[in-house]
Amino acid sequence: MYITDDIIYAGVNDHQVDLFEGQYQVPNGMAYNSYVIKDEKIAVMDTVDGKFTHEWLDNVEKALAGRKPDYLVVQHMEPDHSANIQNFMKAYPEAVIVANAKTFCMVGNFFRSMDLESRTLEVKNGDSLSLGKHVLNFVFAPMVHWPEVMVTYDSTDKVLFSADGFGKFGALDVEEDWDDEARRYYIGIVGKYGAQVQNLLKAASALDIQTICPLHGPVLKENLGHYLEKYHTWSSYGVEDDGVVIAYTSVYGNTKKAAETLAAKLTEKGCPRVVLCDLARMDMSKAVENAFRYGKLVLATTTYNADIFPFMREFIDHLTERGFKKRTVGLMENGSWAPMAAKIMKGMLEGSKDITWLNTTVKITSSLSEDNLKEIDTMAEELCREYIARSDEKANKHDMTALFKIGYGLYVVTSNDGTRDNGLIVNTVSQLTDNPFRVAVNINKANYSHHVIKKTGILNVNCLSVEAPFEVFQNFGFQSGRNVDKFESWETCRSDNGLVFLPKYINAFMSLKVEQYVDLDTHGMFICTVTEARVMSDKETMTYTYYQKNVKPKPETDGKKGFVCKICGYIYEGDTLPDDYICPLCKHGAADFEPIG
Ligand code: FEO
């Protein structure tokens, strides 16, 4: 199979494997990919699992079509890719292994009898190797998924050989959706190393990539943005889909009944997706994958031997091992004489960051009571609050407690110029009166939104919660709605005034109608009445301080001289900053810059 005119697939499918890496069920088998790049010199990219020596060597020989390989590039030493290094070097004694120092150390440990004298080429991060027309550029990717891992970019054909990255479970001769098995693979195998994957994505963003050749799963050529976005969500521990996962264990069926009752209540209240996981019976890696996929998780188990039921303990261990965070979690416990499961489960997640605990915990003693049914209803209400608030039919559209979410916060103000939706970040919103409810919003006249709101007289104020990632600020704060469609990649919800409100990352929004305008020279103040107000969640409002401390990436100022933008981190290198300087990223002025150091 040709990937490009010069790159040929030489991998194999494995339908014999019972448990991949000794633990993961792979009902559709596994693919171990390898590639041959043919040029003046020939490079073979990685080997395959030890069970497929001859099949793979046959594939390589066929791809070579009578020629001899010059290099074996070893990107990853886990045996599913490296097991045939020695066999390859026996078949092609003139070939040279291209790898980094850590890889060569592992090669020595795995193949103790192999003599590599004069048959190695050690590369460093950023090195390149010319094959003639093709130039291979090596980028180290430690801990994606072992410390020696490197990926390789062929700048001629714009192909990224991504090692385990972008891989999935499943052989290539079975048709199946990429997302589910790639997610289960990612969360299970690389999930712990989100920060390292983020680093790799950052390095990859500087490259023009047209094809991704991973070591497992299909070669990716179309719609690469989809895969990159999934990897960004997974590696930043973001919520991929709305919904609630109920993970439970049950000895005699009573806890199961509680879990199923909650599932029914959630569905009745409009929860977009409810996933029930019987931890004793289902594939544990699927339950773990779901916990990372959705935003909310309920753990339901019994007290057992003064601890919790073993499958639940194992499940939570899998979560914490992989850095579970940024989720809403609720607890249901069952115990016939001294229930303590809720306390133990909560304790196990103590080290997990940014967990929002539900106010309601369901405490069952043996079987469901009337009080338990009420608790389950309250829990379902809490879990669905933001989903209900988003619903045009079910939302309370006059919940003026929404105004309590106004603080010295950060807001996305949305508007529409008649052709498209727009949004910008502001930090100047305040409540003026409560009878009638009046709110003031200050907007810089230089912003396109000021012009639009002055013309249309309506706006929505979206109160950002602490969940909002930096991308929200980049999207709404660092570019103009006159030039770009800021909602191009967003699913949108609309309030009664027809404007969009953000479906996530907010704890409330208000629809405002402009009653008065006050000219404040550089800014305009819109004094408005409130026409609609919804509360989405109890999450904390994003304040300017929180943004500075926890959301804005730390600018890389080491070794640099000049000024750094306090808003977006842009670095201006130079001895003096012109007074009229405008940050090219976020458009804030010189007053928002501070000297480096
Ligand atoms: Fe596919 Fe980390 O080996």
Side-chain angles (χ1 to χ4, degrees):
M1 175 174 67
Y2 276 83
I3 311 299
T4 68
D5 287 348
D6 302 322
I7 301 176
I8 301 165
Y9 181 80
V12 297
N13 287 319
D14 182 358
H15 286 287
Q16 305 162 26
V17 58
D18 62 341
L19 291 175
F20 178 68
E21 285 194 4
Q23 61 171 317
Y24 296 102
Q25 293 177 28
V26 280
N28 288 333
M30 203 63 205
Y32 311 113
N33 298 339
S34 165
Y35 306 90
V36 177
I37 308 172
K38 291 176 81 173
D39 200 336
E40 286 165 30
K41 302 260 185 191
I42 294 181
V44 174
M45 304 300 291
D46 296 288
T47 83
V48 302
D49 186 88
K51 298 193 296 291
F52 298 92
T53 306
H54 293 293
E55 187 180 335
W56 173 66
L57 285 174
D58 284 354
N59 290 349
V60 170
E61 195 180 334
K62 195 169 158 209
L64 293 170
R67 293 180 62 191
K68 296 281 179 213
D70 299 275
Y71 302 112
L72 173 65
V73 178
V74 179
Q75 302 186 106
H76 183 16
M77 274 306 292
E78 198 166 5
D80 50 335
H81 310 295
S82 68
N84 283 298
I85 291 177
Q86 189 160 11
N87 293 324
F88 179 89
M89 297 307 279
K90 271 189 202 152
Y92 300 106
E94 279 98 51
V96 166
I97 296 180
V98 180
N100 59 43
K102 282 191 178 135
T103 298
F104 281 120
C105 177
M106 289 185 184
V107 168
N109 292 340
F110 274 108
F111 303 101
R112 295 195 186 275
S113 63
M114 184 164 57
D115 178 13
L116 285 178
E117 187 67 35
S118 314
R119 301 170 79 195
T120 61
L121 174 62
E122 186 185 313
V123 292
K124 298 206 163 34
N125 188 26
D127 279 359
S128 56
L129 174 68
S130 173
L131 302 178
K133 188 169 70 160
H134 293 258
V135 178
L136 303 183
N137 302 277
F138 303 107
V139 179
F140 289 11
M143 301 321 295
V144 186
H145 131 245
W146 278 17
E148 86 297 357
V149 170
M150 65 180 192
V151 301
T152 306
Y153 178 63
D154 173 354
S155 48
T156 308
D157 281 356
K158 304 191 189 316
V159 173
L160 178 70
F161 296 91
S162 59
D164 275 340
F166 300 95
K168 70 180 267 297
F169 294 129
L172 298 189
D173 51 3
V174 180
E175 286 262 332
E176 65 179 354
D177 178 60
W178 185 88
D179 291 8
D180 286 347
E181 284 299 74
R183 185 189 307 104
R184 188 166 70 91
Y185 173 88
Y186 174 86
I187 301 294
I189 291 170
V190 198
K192 182 180 171 64
Y193 303 109
Q196 290 83 352
V197 175
Q198 287 271 302
N199 288 340
L200 177 58
L201 291 175
K202 204 168 157 195
S205 69
L207 306 172
D208 176 8
I209 299 169
Q210 289 176 5
T211 304
I212 298 176
C213 290
L215 288 176
H216 301 290
V219 170
L220 305 172
K221 285 188 160 194
E222 316 257 306
N223 200 11
L224 294 189
H226 171 80
Y227 307 107
L228 288 162
E229 194 191 316
K230 288 287 177 206
Y231 255 61
H232 175 64
T233 302
W234 299 339
S235 57
S236 60
Y237 304 89
V239 172
E240 189 181 347
D241 287 308
D242 284 329
V244 178
V245 176
I246 307 169
Y248 71 92
T249 64
S250 191
V251 187
Y252 293 107
N254 290 305
T255 314
K256 178 179 183 183
K257 195 166 171 195
E260 288 174 345
T261 305
L262 176 64
K265 278 278 171 206
L266 289 168
T267 306
E268 188 185 306
K269 289 179 193 292
C271 183
R273 184 83 204 275
V274 182
V275 184
L276 267 171
C277 299
D278 178 349
L279 298 178
R281 288 172 181 82
M282 77 180 286
D283 176 355
M284 186 62 85
S285 71
K286 281 201 171 148
V288 172
E289 173 210 342
N290 278 317
F292 280 88
R293 175 177 180 176
Y294 295 99
K296 300 177 187 193
L297 172 68
V298 174
L299 302 168
T301 196
T302 42
T303 304
Y304 188 83
N305 286 339
D307 201 309
I308 53 174
F309 205 66
F311 292 106
M312 179 59 79
R313 178 161 280 283
E314 185 190 339
F315 176 66
I316 299 176
D317 280 341
H318 278 297
L319 299 186
T320 53
E321 218 176 88
R322 288 163 177 77
F324 185 74
K325 61 175 126 179
K326 299 186 185 172
R327 296 294 186 275
T328 296
V329 182
L331 301 169
M332 297 171 104
E333 66 174 1
N334 195 350
S336 293
W337 61 95
M340 56 198 302
K343 191 174 160 208
I344 294 170
M345 289 190 286
K346 194 164 184 179
M348 287 180 76
L349 286 168
E350 217 163 35
S352 300
K353 286 186 188 152
D354 302 325
I355 299 293
T356 303
W357 292 98
L358 294 185
N359 294 323
T360 317
T361 294
V362 179
K363 292 176 182 298
I364 306 159
T365 39
S366 302
S367 68
L368 281 176
S369 66
E370 282 302 314
D371 281 350
N372 289 149
L373 293 176
K374 283 185 204 141
E375 286 166 352
I376 288 174
D377 191 60
T378 311
M379 179 179 265
E381 194 73 34
E382 247 193 279
L383 285 163
C384 287
R385 189 172 187 186
E386 67 179 286
Y387 308 139
I388 292 169
R390 254 186 249 159
S391 154
D392 202 32
E393 304 85 50
K394 294 181 179 170
N396 172 2
K397 296 183 178 177
H398 298 281
D399 184 349
M400 292 305 169
T401 63
L403 277 72
F404 298 161
K405 306 293 183 190
I406 299 175
Y408 190 51
L410 290 167
Y411 310 88
V412 174
V413 169
T414 48
S415 58
N416 186 295
D417 63 6
T419 56
R420 72 178 173 212
D421 297 306
N422 190 18
L424 93 160
I425 303 277
V426 303
N427 63 349
T428 44
V429 175
S430 49
Q431 184 181 343
L432 300 177
T433 62
D434 65 357
N435 189 16
F437 284 103
R438 278 201 201 92
V439 170
V441 182
N442 266 359
I443 300 181
N444 190 316
K445 286 182 185 170
N447 287 313
Y448 182 56
S449 294
H450 175 275
H451 171 68
V452 172
I453 294 165
K454 201 146 184 254
K455 224 167 48 173
T456 60
I458 54 170
L459 62 153
N460 281 351
V461 170
N462 296 265
C463 305
L464 290 171
S465 74
V466 289
E467 288 175 308
F470 186 60
E471 289 73 38
V472 170
F473 297 89
Q474 281 179 304
N475 186 51
F476 294 110
F478 302 171
Q479 50 189 352
S480 172
R482 182 180 280 285
N483 311 320
V484 290
D485 180 358
K486 297 185 184 181
F487 280 95
E488 194 182 11
S489 60
W490 283 71
E491 273 176 43
T492 49
C493 301
R494 290 190 188 274
S495 48
D496 286 351
N497 61 3
L499 297 181
V500 291
F501 63 89
L502 302 196
K504 52 188 177 180
Y505 309 135
I506 63 171
N507 56 19
F509 82 86
M510 289 133 243
S511 295
L512 306 181
K513 180 167 175 296
V514 179
E515 302 290 349
Q516 282 178 58
Y517 176 78
V518 182
D519 192 317
L520 299 171
D521 302 326
T522 55
H523 289 64
M525 180 193 281
F526 297 95
I527 298 177
C528 313
T529 47
V530 181
T531 57
E532 184 174 342
R534 301 192 207 177
V535 174
M536 321 302 283
S537 77
D538 285 332
K539 299 220 165 68
E540 293 290 311
T541 294
M542 170 80 73
T543 62
Y544 183 72
T545 313
Y546 188 93
Y547 166 77
Q548 290 290 341
K549 269 195 188 158
N550 304 298
V551 180
K552 191 183 80 175
K554 303 279 170 277
E556 288 165 10
T557 53
D558 284 359
K560 292 187 179 152
K561 217 175 136 216
F563 300 82
V564 60
C565 175
K566 290 186 280 180
I567 307 299
C568 67
Y570 178 79
I571 293 169
Y572 174 89
E573 294 194 66
D575 290 336
T576 46
L577 181 74
D579 289 345
D580 59 353
Y581 188 74
I582 301 288
C583 175
L585 264 189
C586 68
K587 312 289 182 251
H588 278 243
D592 284 315
F593 277 73
E594 62 187 6
I596 293 172

